[in-house]
Amino acid sequence: MIPSVDLSSQHRRLRGEIDAAIARVLDREWYILGPEVEAFERGFAAYCGARHCIAVGNGTDALQLALRALAIAGDGRVATVPNAGGYATTAILQAGAAPHYVDVDPDTLLIDIDAFAAAAVAETATDPQLRAVVVTHLYGRMADTAAIAGIAREHGIAVIEDCAQAHGARRGGKMAGTLGDIGCFSFYPTKNLGALGDAGALVTDDDELARRLRSLRTYGWSSKYHCANEGGSNSRMDELQAAVLSVKLPHLNAWNARRRDIARRYEESITNAAIMLPPPASDDVVHQYVVRSAAREALRAHLASAGVASDIHYPVPDHRQPAWAARWDTGPLDNAELACERVLSLPCHPGLDDAQVDAVAVACNGFRDAR
């Protein structure tokens, strides 16, 4: 089976460096918010081109802490898309706010700028509750954050970038995470830059937001055992994960380049009219290579029979999830709903060789929609 994800080749090549990094932490016996976290924060901030990086426990915590740092809570609403796995919705609810779902562009599956503009005008004109927007860079492709930010700032709406799938992606020469007020990252093991467990971070150029975030990740402390900021939590990247991420960070650009190579090979090789390919984008870091098919389950079964694993990112839109359904009024979300019915992720990770990529393409071209 050609796997959807394979970290073994990555870790084999880096095993000596990873072992040395872990040994360094064990020998130092400093496990939380120590020199390894500080070193990674400096390195990742420099990589992103941001003034500050604040390392936290995971990507969902990063989103929640961003909302709390921006004082988004109570009866405030946060605009977000409903087709990105529920992570933003979870963070919004944890922060005490409510989601306001905005439909996606039918081609890119990213937040629709016109739909967001309409939501911003409607909310602020009738009841000024729309306090922030979470702009999700889905599948490694960056949304037009500059356009979103322009609209948001006209209406006093904060901009949070969800960069969990966009490490190293660029748009207009700017790195993911640096176009809004705060950028949020996940380093879940399967991300483009992945830890050996849960980990996350936020980046910002705002000194006061950075100060607040550093306090909020540790109970809201101003100093040890002194809680000065409401809304604090316990969300700190540990030294082991930071040490491993520092080993991996110098390889991120090369890994992203390989993902783009694989995407180009798929674009050139998959010719089946029953399979809709994603639109090409030169700065896409291809966290997932997501095709669409009106016969998705049949396509998935066909691929499995040909020895090709696949996955669905994501099958249920947030507003249809049993825990959240019908709790909030939304506008039309037709594009997001159709995407969730049709998306299918093909294998796309740096561990694939060209022969495996070609085999995936052959399997796709052999599919026949028998509906």
Side-chain angles (χ1 to χ4, degrees):
M1 182 70 73
I2 299 172
S4 291
V5 177
D6 179 13
L7 299 174
S8 59
S9 61
Q10 177 188 105
H11 290 152
R12 271 197 308 273
R13 295 189 186 101
L14 299 177
R15 183 61 182 267
E17 292 178 74
I18 290 172
D19 286 349
I22 292 172
R24 189 168 65 242
V25 173
L26 295 177
D27 291 343
R28 188 183 288 123
E29 296 189 357
W30 189 343
Y31 300 113
I32 301 291
L33 296 186
E36 299 292 344
V37 167
E38 291 174 1
F40 175 72
E41 287 178 332
R42 288 194 300 272
F44 195 66
Y47 177 83
C48 292
R51 284 174 55 82
H52 304 281
C53 171
I54 302 90
V56 296
N58 57 68
T60 307
D61 279 358
L63 290 168
Q64 180 209 151
L65 289 169
L67 290 162
R68 292 188 181 278
L70 290 162
I72 311 298
D75 60 358
R77 287 178 176 263
V78 179
T80 190
V81 295
N83 65 320
Y87 308 111
T89 295
T90 298
I92 290 164
L93 295 176
Q94 287 175 339
H100 180 104
Y101 297 119
V102 177
D103 208 1
V104 297
D105 179 275
D107 295 323
T108 66
L109 306 186
L110 303 172
I111 187 169
D112 183 280
I113 295 171
D114 292 336
F116 171 67
V121 171
E123 284 278 336
T124 54
T126 58
D127 188 4
Q129 292 184 334
L130 199 59
R131 303 282 307 284
V133 56
V134 174
V135 182
T136 301
H137 303 313
L138 195 60
Y139 308 140
R141 183 184 301 266
M142 280 187 71
D144 190 349
T145 313
I148 294 292
I151 297 165
R153 284 168 185 141
E154 287 180 15
H155 300 282
I157 297 169
V159 179
I160 298 168
E161 293 179 74
D162 180 354
C163 310
Q165 301 185 6
H167 312 70
R170 292 178 180 269
R171 189 172 180 128
K174 293 276 286 183
M175 284 285 240
T178 64
L179 288 97
D181 296 292
I182 301 175
C184 301
F185 290 84
S186 167
F187 303 113
Y188 185 79
T190 59
K191 303 300 186 186
N192 293 41
L193 179 63
L196 299 184
D198 276 322
L202 307 97
V203 298
T204 184
D205 286 335
D206 187 304
D207 295 346
E208 174 57 22
L209 281 177
R211 183 203 65 75
R212 210 174 303 159
L213 287 165
R214 292 186 190 282
S215 171
L216 291 174
R217 74 177 173 183
T218 309
Y219 313 111
W221 283 355
S222 55
S223 59
K224 194 172 183 180
Y225 305 134
H226 292 266
C227 292
N229 294 287
E230 188 177 354
S233 64
N234 177 15
S235 182
R236 302 168 296 191
M237 183 187 293
D238 67 62
E239 288 283 282
L240 288 167
Q241 301 303 344
V244 170
L245 287 168
S246 290
V247 169
K248 291 186 173 187
L249 181 57
H251 302 275
L252 177 56
N253 286 346
W255 292 336
N256 284 345
R258 177 56 184 161
R259 289 174 181 270
R260 284 191 287 268
D261 287 342
I262 292 168
R264 282 192 289 268
R265 204 171 185 95
Y266 282 151
E267 289 162 12
E268 294 167 359
S269 304
I270 298 175
T271 58
N272 192 335
I275 300 174
M276 179 181 175
L277 305 186
S282 60
D283 289 337
D284 189 347
V285 294
V286 204
H287 175 66
Q288 303 287 350
Y289 190 83
V290 176
V291 301
R292 280 176 275 176
S293 173
R296 178 178 66 196
E297 296 310 317
L299 172 59
R300 195 174 191 198
H302 167 80
L303 292 175
S305 70
V308 176
S310 62
D311 209 338
I312 300 172
H313 300 97
Y314 296 94
V316 183
D318 292 12
H319 62 289
R320 300 293 187 198
Q321 292 285 3
W324 305 324
R327 285 182 59 183
W328 306 282
D329 292 333
T330 62
L333 300 168
D334 298 342
N335 295 332
E337 292 192 353
L338 187 62
C340 289
E341 293 173 6
R342 294 186 172 186
V343 292
L344 187 68
S345 301
L346 302 182
C348 186
H349 53 84
L352 292 175
D353 60 35
D354 287 350
Q356 289 175 309
V357 176
D358 292 344
V360 174
V362 168
C364 286
N365 288 334
F367 173 65
R368 295 293 176 264
D369 183 355
R371 289 176 308 141

